[in-house]
Amino acid sequence: MKKFSKYFDVIVFFFSINLMFSQKGNFEIKNGQFVLNGKPFIIHSGELHYPRVPVEYWKHRLQMMKAMGLNTVTTYVFWNYHEESPGKWNFSGEKDLKKFIKTAQEVGLYVIIRPGPYVCAEWEFGGYPWWLQKDKNLEIRTDNKAFLQQCEKYITELSKQIVPLQINNGGPVIMVQAENEFGSYVSQRKDISLEQHRKYSHKIKDMLVKSGITVPFFTSDASSLFKGGSIKGALPTANGEGDIDVLKKTVNEYNDGKGPYMVAEYYPGWLDHWAEPFPKVSTEDVVKQTELYIKNGVSFNYYMIHGGTNFGFTSGANYDKDHDIQPDLTSYDYDAPISEAGWGTPKYNALRDVFQKMNSQKLQEVPQPMRVITIPEIKFSKNANLFDYINIQKPIVNDKPLTFEDLNIGNGYVLYRRKFDKNLKGKLEIKGLRDYANIYINGNRIGELNRYYKKYDLDLDIKAGETLDILVENMGRINYGAEIVNNLKGIISPIKINGTEISGNWKMYPLPFDKFPKHNYKLKDIAVGTPMISEGEFTLNEVGDTFLDMRKFGKGVVFINGRNIGRYWSKVGPQLTLYIPGVWLKKGKNTIQIFEQINDNINFKVNSIDHPILDELVK
């Protein structure tokens, strides 16, 4: 009888969830409250970005959220993720936004959409497609005709995914954000008037309305920045605001003296950069702030509840006075309550206890984590000098170095090459380096330039007949602040030796690494310091999540079964492993490919371990 009762409870639960979303509903802001189907509603949300999680794991991660006690999931939509090239849109497969929203609905979560068009999010270029910069008449995040035309195309395509799934159409979407953290941008762009700024942000909201979005709108800014970021007709929410009195006072000022009160980004963790310590937020602090919000009836969204991974070249970068770029890690673990691999952390368990105390019904059981495996050793049977690959490619020739954008690639690498007809000795200067370069003479590395450390020059001694190679990496476009408008990559200003511009006969070899370079891998000696491409095979009897141990490597990217799983930079840390989702592995034969840029310690094998290493800086 107990067994039957248990199954009956499960059936009733799923029936209630189905009933909850099977009919058209209503969500509105009324009398200073969120009102869901006629009843007051407090949003307890967590942020999860579907592009950072394999599609096969979406349901698991959403179930983790539901089991913690949340009622809503919030996600950004990344424009550049869906418009793969100008006019080519993809909302299918792992990019199926509708499927993500419907999966949240199946799990019993409401959905908040943050479509930008600017999203920040430690994502490449804040979500903007890189090729927008090719239009010299276009300026992003302003009342600019060319830019707004592109925004309208994006919003029109996006609305096709969202409108049918709004709550009033029987879906789970209850709110949509207009622009994103615009107040901070306004505060940094003093060259543009507040009036012009507000013209732009209000036009974005008007586009969203025109596209058919009818659920309530909101804006998201620090409470001190509402003046520049608030939009008429959109609820202002306060990012990171822990003081309830400040929250209420500020929202009242910009919302006709009333609520509801919401913190659209409460940070239970924080973002991470290469070459910098991994920041942590204590469980005690997160629990205390959560309880304060709940006690005061404040709606909130954990940013992030589950970070996931910046696969491929999707990670962005920051900019500050000490570093001309601060590239973000491949891991987007964020010290979030649900780890990068989807594991519940002590922070998760503590928060689940908080939500259980306020729920009269028992929360769902926490789903089991995905299987984890280790791979003892993978040998690279095919290895080659990258220059061997480059030497059989056809270059693009120009008097001056061209940017990535001029070469029509968005990400990856470009090799800049020039042969000298006379001796030159002195200081090589590349002040327009974006972002990282290894320098070679006749294939021998002579040094490294690095935008992070503001190192833009080195001593050089080149003889007549010798070849200079400059291998440049785009480490991610800036995604936050005023510098977002200066996001060209490659070499964007003259190359100089002893103050004299070196022009004429520059050969450029684009290496986008959208696919791993094909090579016949004829065996030959590979010198230390030579950029190397390697390939190996390994056989698995079972699949599962795992963490590739990159501690014996320097800097580069890894492909697994044709997928770019991200960058590593083990020479500096703090991330020393790469997460490989088990769903991207196969029983039987698998392929691994690595591009190692630095190659200080030639290594022909790699292994995986059962846990991530994300917080070890390398001296």
Side-chain angles (χ1 to χ4, degrees):
M1 190 68 182
K2 287 183 180 179
K3 188 174 182 181
F4 174 79
S5 176
K6 178 182 177 183
Y7 287 129
F8 180 77
D9 289 343
V10 171
I11 292 168
V12 169
F13 169 75
F14 282 108
F15 177 77
S16 64
I17 290 297
N18 185 58
L19 186 65
M20 172 183 173
F21 288 119
S22 62
Q23 300 177 350
K24 293 181 181 180
N26 179 260
F27 183 83
E28 59 186 330
I29 296 172
K30 187 177 181 180
N31 299 325
Q33 298 182 94
F34 292 123
V35 178
L36 175 66
N37 298 328
K39 297 180 180 180
F41 185 71
I42 305 295
I43 296 169
H44 296 151
S45 175
E47 186 112 1
L48 183 161
H49 303 146
Y50 58 97
R52 287 174 157 141
V53 179
V55 60
E56 296 91 342
Y57 290 170
W58 287 352
K59 189 168 187 177
H60 176 268
R61 306 305 196 255
L62 292 165
Q63 287 174 330
M64 289 287 291
M65 294 174 59
K66 184 70 177 177
M68 198 183 94
L70 301 180
N71 56 31
T72 305
V73 59
T74 297
T75 187
Y76 277 129
V77 179
F78 303 134
W79 176 358
N80 57 14
Y81 186 65
H82 292 289
E83 191 174 11
E84 297 174 335
S85 59
K88 182 186 175 186
W89 297 91
N90 187 353
F91 286 94
S92 63
E94 61 191 12
K95 302 187 179 189
D96 191 341
L97 174 56
K98 277 187 179 179
K99 180 174 181 176
F100 177 77
I101 295 171
K102 289 177 181 177
T103 304
Q105 185 175 36
E106 290 171 15
V107 169
L109 295 170
Y110 292 100
V111 177
I112 294 173
I113 301 289
R114 308 176 74 188
Y118 163 76
V119 296
C120 186
E122 292 70 62
W123 187 266
E124 225 273 337
F125 203 7
Y128 291 130
W130 63 267
W131 62 80
L132 295 181
Q133 299 174 107
K134 290 173 69 67
D135 184 346
K136 305 306 178 187
N137 296 315
L138 185 151
E139 184 178 352
I140 63 171
R141 289 197 98 180
T142 60
D143 185 18
N144 170 276
K145 183 178 179 181
F147 176 59
L148 289 170
Q149 285 174 340
Q150 293 293 334
C151 289
E152 188 157 26
K153 291 177 186 177
Y154 161 61
I155 289 171
T156 298
E157 291 295 328
L158 178 64
S159 67
K160 296 174 186 177
Q161 313 300 313
I162 297 173
V163 169
L165 294 172
Q166 294 180 116
I167 190 168
N168 49 310
N169 290 325
V173 176
I174 57 173
M175 282 208 303
V176 171
Q177 184 176 327
E179 238 282 347
N180 181 52
E181 298 179 320
F182 193 57
S184 65
Y185 190 67
V186 170
S187 71
Q188 296 176 55
R189 288 295 303 271
K190 302 296 186 182
D191 56 319
I192 301 174
S193 71
L194 180 60
E195 179 185 355
Q196 286 299 109
H197 276 304
R198 292 181 66 79
K199 276 186 181 179
Y200 155 71
S201 60
H202 282 70
K203 285 180 180 178
I204 293 298
K205 188 226 171 188
D206 291 344
M207 286 180 192
L208 291 165
V209 172
K210 181 182 174 183
S211 76
I213 293 174
T214 55
V215 294
F217 293 100
F218 70 101
T219 59
S220 168
D221 277 292
S223 56
S224 61
L225 300 170
F226 280 11
K227 184 175 181 180
S230 60
I231 295 174
K232 187 176 180 180
L235 174 72
T237 68
N239 287 356
E241 184 56 72
D243 188 315
I244 304 301
D245 291 335
V246 171
L247 171 66
K248 291 184 175 181
K249 179 182 177 182
T250 314
V251 171
N252 287 347
E253 183 180 349
Y254 289 89
N255 196 47
D256 300 324
K258 57 182 181 293
Y261 307 106
M262 181 170 180
V263 176
E265 292 188 7
Y266 167 59
Y267 309 110
W270 196 243
L271 59 95
D272 317 294
H273 298 131
W274 293 110
E276 297 177 12
F278 185 102
K280 301 285 181 71
V281 178
S282 76
T283 296
E284 292 75 18
D285 286 348
V286 176
V287 166
K288 183 179 178 181
Q289 190 63 49
T290 297
E291 290 175 332
L292 186 64
Y293 289 146
I294 292 171
K295 179 182 176 182
N296 287 276
V298 171
S299 292
F300 57 89
N301 172 50
Y302 293 111
Y303 189 102
M304 302 289 296
I305 191 67
H306 171 53
T309 309
N310 294 315
F311 296 113
F313 296 124
T314 58
S315 56
N318 276 359
Y319 178 95
D320 69 10
K321 61 182 176 63
D322 297 319
H323 305 283
D324 287 346
I325 195 168
Q326 294 173 289
D328 296 312
L329 302 185
T330 295
S331 171
Y332 199 59
D333 179 87
Y334 214 88
D335 190 31
I338 303 170
S339 78
E340 178 182 15
W343 305 340
T345 65
K347 196 176 290 181
Y348 175 92
N349 295 332
L351 289 172
R352 188 171 188 268
D353 288 343
V354 171
F355 286 103
Q356 183 61 81
K357 288 175 185 175
M358 60 173 286
N359 272 277
S360 56
Q361 294 183 332
K362 186 178 180 181
L363 294 175
Q364 292 182 40
E365 292 297 317
V366 178
Q368 289 296 311
M370 300 302 174
R371 175 194 294 270
V372 175
I373 64 170
T374 59
I375 308 171
E377 183 178 271
I378 304 170
K379 292 182 179 179
F380 296 108
S381 55
K382 299 176 181 178
N383 302 283
N385 183 328
L386 181 72
F387 295 130
D388 291 340
Y389 170 79
I390 287 170
N391 290 339
I392 61 174
Q393 306 303 309
K394 185 178 179 180
I396 297 166
V397 182
N398 196 63
D399 281 346
K400 298 180 179 181
L402 298 172
T403 66
F404 276 44
E405 291 75 15
D406 288 333
L407 294 167
N408 208 36
I409 72 166
N411 305 104
Y413 310 80
V414 171
L415 183 91
Y416 296 84
R417 171 173 287 176
R418 190 179 188 277
K419 191 172 183 177
F420 284 74
D421 57 8
K422 62 180 180 180
N423 297 349
L424 274 176
K425 184 177 182 179
K427 192 173 292 294
L428 170 71
E429 290 183 300
I430 312 178
K431 291 185 177 178
L433 173 66
R434 302 292 184 269
D435 301 302
Y436 173 93
N438 282 306
I439 315 298
Y440 308 85
I441 294 178
N442 280 2
N444 297 310
R445 193 178 75 209
I446 64 167
E448 170 188 293
L449 302 182
N450 190 330
R451 191 178 172 197
Y452 176 81
Y453 295 114
K454 296 187 176 181
K455 180 172 173 52
Y456 295 111
D457 60 64
L458 57 73
D459 291 332
L460 169 146
D461 185 357
I462 192 164
K463 308 298 183 187
E466 292 185 331
T467 298
L468 174 69
D469 282 325
I470 306 167
L471 181 59
V472 176
E473 176 189 6
N474 164 13
M475 290 201 67
R477 287 180 179 81
I478 292 166
N479 58 259
Y480 178 78
E483 282 297 315
I484 196 171
V485 299
N486 300 315
N487 252 327
L488 298 178
K489 291 297 182 177
I491 295 176
I492 69 169
S493 67
I495 295 174
K496 295 181 179 181
I497 298 178
N498 292 333
T500 300
E501 181 178 350
I502 306 301
S503 60
N505 202 33
W506 279 101
K507 295 179 180 179
M508 285 149 282
Y509 300 83
L511 299 163
F513 273 81
D514 48 350
K515 296 179 181 178
F516 200 82
K518 290 185 178 180
H519 198 274
N520 59 14
Y521 293 103
K522 290 181 180 178
L523 292 175
K524 61 165 57 178
D525 291 336
I526 298 174
V528 171
T530 302
M532 183 172 72
I533 53 175
S534 300
E535 183 176 311
E537 292 181 355
F538 58 100
T539 301
L540 295 176
N541 295 322
E542 62 174 2
V543 298
D545 292 354
T546 194
F547 302 88
L548 205 62
D549 186 349
M550 304 309 297
R551 283 177 286 186
K552 294 179 181 178
F553 292 79
K555 192 177 198 305
V557 292
V558 177
F559 282 67
I560 297 289
N561 293 329
R563 289 179 179 267
N564 185 341
I565 63 168
R567 294 182 177 92
Y568 63 91
W569 194 3
S570 305
K571 190 175 181 180
V572 300
Q575 178 178 354
L576 301 178
T577 55
L578 286 172
Y579 171 58
I580 304 176
V583 290
W584 293 352
L585 296 170
K586 300 178 291 187
K587 283 187 177 181
K589 188 176 75 173
N590 293 262
T591 301
I592 183 171
Q593 296 161 310
I594 291 185
F595 169 43
E596 166 59 45
Q597 300 163 238
I598 298 175
N599 205 16
D600 281 340
N601 178 29
I602 293 176
N603 192 29
F604 295 115
K605 59 186 178 181
V606 70
N607 65 281
S608 80
I609 57 179
D610 62 3
H611 62 279
I613 303 173
L614 301 176
D615 56 358
E616 290 189 16
L617 283 175
V618 179
K619 300 297 183 182

